Amino acid sequence: MRARTTLAACASVAVVLAIASAAVIFLLRVNLERTVEAGAREQAQTVARLATDGRLTSPLPLDHGTDFIQVLDAHRSVVAASQNLTGHPPLAPSGHPNGHRTFNLDARGHAHHQRVTSITATTPTGPVTIYVGASLRTADAAEDLTTAALAVLSTVLLLTVGALTWRATGRALRPVEAIRAEVAAIGDRDLNRRVPQPRSNDEIARLAGTMNAMLQRLEAAGTRQRRFIADASHELRSPLTVLRTQLEVALTHSDPDVHTDLVAGALEDTERLQALAADLLLLARLDTTDHHRPTEPVDLTDLVHTTLAARGAGPHPVTVHAPTAITVPGNPLWLRRLLTNLLDNAQRHAAKHITVRLTTDRAVGHAVLDVTNDGPPIEPADREKIFERFARLDDARSRDDGGTGLGLPIARDIAAIHQGTLTVLGAPAATTFRTRLPIPPEPPQDVRARQGAAG
């Protein structure tokens, strides 16, 4: 990239210098030639006045900057000439038109060129044509010198631009190389490291800031994963230890009644392990699921009624308020699991009664599912903590009741996959878990029908 940038800069400057140099040389040449032509034309007009007055003499005197003068009559015979052309035949090509015209003439074998100006005059003996040649040696020398100077200056300028571009590009890319080296050195156990961030507020500084933000997210994700593994190991170790103890005691104890109680306890711990393993597998599946929302239409009203009917009678009665059918796109199995987890949590903490309310919020296009229990309220500081995996506000009671601390996190993950939310609403004598799920917009005819019915 450094070499390409330098080459592009040098090529651009070279093109500009070439065009500018050509323009300078062209303008210089035109200006010098006009100056030479003006001198030759003035000399020719002087000779024309002499011819008109009949005072032509030979040889004709030469002014400064004039190389030769030659006067030809109508028969192309030399009438008068400067001393250096005395006795020479006509130099101008035959058929050359008269008037104030100019043309190049390599006169008398000289290496330089002359600019020849012709003019016609009337003499007492007839018309004559006067040719005056002015040397272009000065113009050629000035053009050559200017071309050489521009070539040298252009070369020096190109080298300077190349060196400055190479150095400036290197300094600009130095932070990028430092970022690349640091990222290459960061391993899966060095996520606490950060790339150097330049102090300048430019694109590279913003790139470094974005990289550091990404590393911070990766570090947080790694920390959560390690904490999750540690919590899962702890949760599995406790029931496994109890299960092993019960089986060892049952193996060595001969009393049939004690043996039956131990086997029943072992079966209960096995069921708890099975539920925990199922929750862990579901969490792993939710974590690896892409965030494309499921699109299968789900009737939430029917899902609420069928879920409650399948659960049977619980320790606390459940009142349902779902007056109308509400359909949302989603995964029916996952939405049923969300409702089941919320009901399990409500049954575990309710004092006497549970309420399930299903409504719609047309203003924002959401279906709202509220599961309310009349148990002790949750403190505002703990309303986000309960959605952390393996989090328990009352650890001993949760273990006794069979809770694993994964029900609410699973419910929130399911809501997030459906592009919804799950929050806690506090009240003095109740706790409400509110789930919001987006619903598709109503067709225009349904909106008009509903508005007509309301009218």
Side-chain angles (χ1 to χ4, degrees), residues 130-345:
I130 303 166
Y131 295 95
V132 178
S135 175
L136 294 177
R137 181 188 293 109
T138 304
D140 292 341
E143 182 181 359
D144 294 340
L145 180 61
T146 303
T147 302
L150 288 176
V152 173
L153 291 176
S154 298
T155 303
V156 173
L157 183 59
L158 279 177
L159 293 177
T160 303
V161 169
L164 292 178
T165 305
W166 180 268
R167 184 175 180 180
T169 306
R171 293 186 62 181
L173 294 178
R174 193 176 304 158
V176 178
E177 176 61 23
I179 293 173
R180 186 206 62 80
E182 184 66 20
V183 172
I186 295 177
D188 55 350
R189 299 187 180 276
D190 300 325
L191 296 178
N192 60 329
R193 298 172 61 174
R194 298 293 182 266
V195 301
Q197 186 169 353
R199 297 180 180 178
S200 58
N201 187 20
D202 54 9
E203 291 81 358
I204 297 178
R206 291 194 291 272
L207 172 64
T210 304
M211 292 290 295
N212 286 333
M214 181 191 68
L215 290 172
Q216 185 175 1
R217 292 194 298 269
L218 291 176
E219 181 184 9
T223 302
R224 288 195 302 269
Q225 183 180 13
R226 288 190 294 270
R227 185 171 62 245
F228 175 72
I229 293 174
D231 292 340
S233 301
H234 177 73
E235 293 292 333
L236 290 172
R237 183 190 307 166
S238 298
L240 284 175
T241 302
V242 174
L243 179 61
R244 178 175 180 177
T245 301
Q246 290 174 339
L247 293 177
E248 289 177 349
V249 172
L251 184 63
T252 59
H253 210 287
S254 58
D255 189 345
D257 295 334
V258 175
H259 190 275
T260 301
D261 292 339
L262 291 174
V263 171
L267 180 60
E268 182 180 350
D269 288 331
T270 302
E271 292 175 352
R272 182 178 300 177
L273 282 173
Q274 185 178 4
L276 179 58
D279 289 343
L280 291 175
L281 288 175
L282 180 57
L283 277 175
R285 183 180 179 185
L286 294 176
D287 288 340
T288 56
T289 301
D290 56 12
H291 292 282
H292 294 293
R293 182 182 178 186
T295 57
E296 182 180 351
V298 179
D299 187 345
L300 285 182
T301 304
D302 181 69
L303 184 140
V304 169
H305 289 293
T306 56
T307 301
L308 289 173
R311 289 173 61 87
H316 305 291
V318 180
T319 302
V320 179
H321 298 279
T324 59
I326 301 175
T327 302
V328 297
N331 185 315
L333 295 179
W334 287 357
L335 291 177
R336 187 183 302 275
R337 181 60 182 274
L338 182 150
L339 178 59
T340 299
N341 288 0
L342 294 181
L343 290 173
D344 289 343
N345 180 77

Side-chain angles (χ1 to χ4, degrees), residues 325-379:
I326 301 175
T327 302
V328 297
N331 185 315
L333 295 179
W334 287 357
L335 291 177
R336 187 183 302 275
R337 181 60 182 274
L338 182 150
L339 178 59
T340 299
N341 288 0
L342 294 181
L343 290 173
D344 289 343
N345 180 77
Q347 290 285 4
R348 189 177 299 117
H349 297 96
K352 297 180 179 179
H353 192 266
I354 298 172
T355 302
V356 177
R357 187 180 303 274
L358 183 61
T359 58
T360 58
D361 188 352
R362 293 291 177 182
V364 293
H366 281 172
V368 181
L369 175 64
D370 289 340
V371 178
T372 305
N373 68 83
D374 57 353
I378 300 176
E379 296 296 330

